[in-house]
Amino acid sequence: MLCPYCKKRISNVSGFCSECGQKLEQATQTSKTNDYWNDVNKADSQRNQQYKRLVSKEIKEKRAQANKSIATFIVVMVIAIIAVFGFMKYRAYSSKMVAEIKTLLIGKTLTAHDTHMEGLGWTMNEYWQLTFTDESTLDYAYIETTGPRDDDEIPQYKGTYSYTVSRSITGTYKISTNGDTYELNVNDNNEVQGISRK
């Protein structure tokens, strides 16, 4: 065996080191004590390293969660801003198109027609005639006939009413007047082709 003090090779049965004279029993005891504390320190160090790893992992997870929340917030804000600007742009465009249609309607007379059956198979025809005097008022005339209207049958004037024009997202124009709603038939060039009763 080796002497724990002088590191020389000595006999295994010696109670003392033949080289340095130290009592080997005491050295063995000290060595065991040192081994115990070494084991304790090693275990302590391992626990500290494990704790640091856990804390580091938790910090990384919290940072990742915080970064994810910030990224989500930024994406939502960007989408909201785009939506607001898009809505504002759509409203401006829609207002422009409605103003254009109102200008094109001035002086025009449009007739909406509807056919329905009554009684014993009588075919009734209704005609609503709208004459647009300016961008906010129109003259309203109405006639109901049995069968198609003859050339000499003229809708009767019912009064002058204010009207509003609205435009849907799909580009459909609606005119509201006197509690009734009409839909404008408009081509791709925004030219009015006719009107129908809704």
Side-chain angles (χ1 to χ4, degrees):
M1 67 177 267
L2 290 176
C3 172
Y5 297 104
C6 66
K7 307 299 180 197
K8 301 279 186 178
R9 184 164 295 281
I10 57 172
S11 169
N12 287 341
V13 294
S14 303
F16 294 90
C17 176
S18 57
E19 297 293 329
C20 65
Q22 290 288 339
K23 189 174 180 184
L24 296 180
E25 207 173 286
Q26 180 184 355
T28 306
Q29 186 65 31
T30 303
S31 178
K32 285 181 183 176
T33 303
N34 288 343
D35 289 345
Y36 169 76
W37 287 112
N38 286 340
D39 290 344
V40 167
N41 290 337
K42 186 177 178 183
D44 221 15
S45 176
Q46 288 174 346
R47 277 193 299 273
N48 284 342
Q49 288 174 359
Q50 188 177 13
Y51 175 74
K52 284 179 183 176
R53 281 195 298 270
L54 287 173
V55 168
S56 177
K57 183 180 177 185
E58 190 174 328
I59 289 170
K60 284 179 183 175
E61 286 174 355
K62 284 183 179 177
R63 280 184 187 157
Q65 186 63 36
N67 291 340
K68 188 176 179 184
S69 298
I70 290 169
T72 302
F73 175 75
I74 290 170
V75 168
V76 168
M77 288 304 293
V78 167
I79 290 171
I81 290 167
I82 290 170
V84 167
F85 277 113
F87 178 71
M88 288 170 63
K89 196 167 183 179
Y90 164 75
R91 283 196 60 180
Y93 175 76
S94 189
S95 296
K96 177 185 168 192
M97 297 304 283
V98 165
E100 186 179 308
I101 283 290
K102 281 184 174 183
T103 303
L104 293 172
L105 286 173
I106 296 173
K108 278 190 180 289
T109 297
L110 300 174
T111 303
H113 171 243
D114 187 33
T115 303
H116 62 276
M117 300 292 288
E118 271 191 15
L120 300 170
W122 291 100
T123 302
M124 303 301 291
N125 289 277
E126 291 181 282
Y127 298 89
W128 297 271
Q129 184 174 287
L130 307 178
T131 302
F132 297 86
T133 54
D134 57 37
E135 292 183 357
S136 60
T137 59
L138 57 79
D139 290 333
Y140 173 75
Y142 172 78
I143 190 173
E144 183 178 52
T145 64
T146 303
R149 185 179 75 176
D150 293 330
D151 292 338
D152 60 346
E153 292 181 293
I154 300 170
Q156 296 177 353
Y157 174 75
K158 298 293 183 181
T160 299
Y161 299 100
S162 62
Y163 72 93
T164 59
V165 179
S166 61
R167 183 179 186 272
S168 70
I169 291 176
T170 58
T172 303
Y173 293 93
K174 289 186 180 173
I175 294 176
S176 299
T177 184
N178 193 28
D180 295 323
T181 302
Y182 301 84
E183 185 175 307
L184 285 176
N185 302 320
V186 179
N187 67 14
D188 293 338
N189 296 324
N190 217 34
E191 297 168 343
V192 178
Q193 302 295 302
I195 194 169
S196 58
R197 179 77 178 255
K198 294 305 286 180

